Amino acid sequence: MSWQSYVDDHLMCDIDGQHLSAAAIIGLDGSVWAQSTTFPQYKPEEITAITKDFDEPGSLAPTGLHLGGTKYMVIQGEPGAVIRGKKGPGGITVKKTNLALIFGIYDEPMTPGQCNMIVERLGDYLIEQGF
């Protein structure tokens, strides 16, 4: 299975009539493994800051999580495993695997819990597979 099909079939899938507005799998080195056409154009330093927060939980809290120039307020996550952010009626979930970051971005009417479930389920699967 290609990385693009993980994004298309697993991250951008339909859940109760809702789906993520954007998704991507990005290597810990910042390389794009696969992404939806709607995923924002991001800066390398944004990925570096997100990766740093997994090593030093809480480092993003004072400044917020930035992706593609959009600032998300960092809310509860799982230190070293999941970062969650909120912006207005939408937000972002980032799950770290051994080799990559799984990104899911959502807007209402999708709920934060639905986004978390989609992103974290795929992340857990990839960790089990050694990725």
Side-chain angles (χ1 to χ4, degrees):
M1 184 180 275
S2 76
W3 290 113
Q4 191 61 49
S5 62
Y6 279 107
V7 170
D8 297 341
D9 301 338
H10 296 279
L11 293 174
M12 297 300 288
C13 65
D14 194 288
I15 299 275
D16 298 330
Q18 310 305 321
H19 57 83
L20 295 173
S21 47
I25 303 174
I26 298 175
L28 294 178
D29 62 357
S31 63
V32 175
W33 291 13
Q35 64 184 22
S36 65
T37 55
T38 53
F39 196 74
Q41 183 67 45
Y42 61 87
K43 298 182 182 98
E45 56 268 22
E46 292 173 328
I47 301 302
T48 301
I50 292 166
T51 304
K52 178 184 176 193
D53 193 80
F54 284 109
D55 297 329
E56 300 171 29
S59 66
L60 283 178
T63 58
L65 183 158
H66 292 81
L67 187 70
T70 300
K71 179 181 177 180
Y72 296 89
M73 180 178 67
V74 177
I75 55 176
Q76 96 292 347
E78 296 166 32
V82 179
I83 299 170
R84 298 184 183 110
K86 188 95 176 102
K87 177 172 176 53
I92 187 168
T93 301
V94 186
K95 169 81 175 179
K96 181 178 185 270
T97 70
N98 301 325
L99 302 174
L101 301 173
I102 316 293
F103 287 83
I105 300 173
Y106 69 94
D107 285 302
E108 282 186 333
M110 178 171 261
T111 67
Q114 289 171 316
C115 178
N116 296 341
M117 185 180 69
I118 293 167
V119 172
E120 293 174 35
R121 186 186 294 158
L122 179 60
D124 291 340
Y125 171 77
L126 293 177
I127 289 169
E128 287 171 16
Q129 302 304 309
F131 293 106

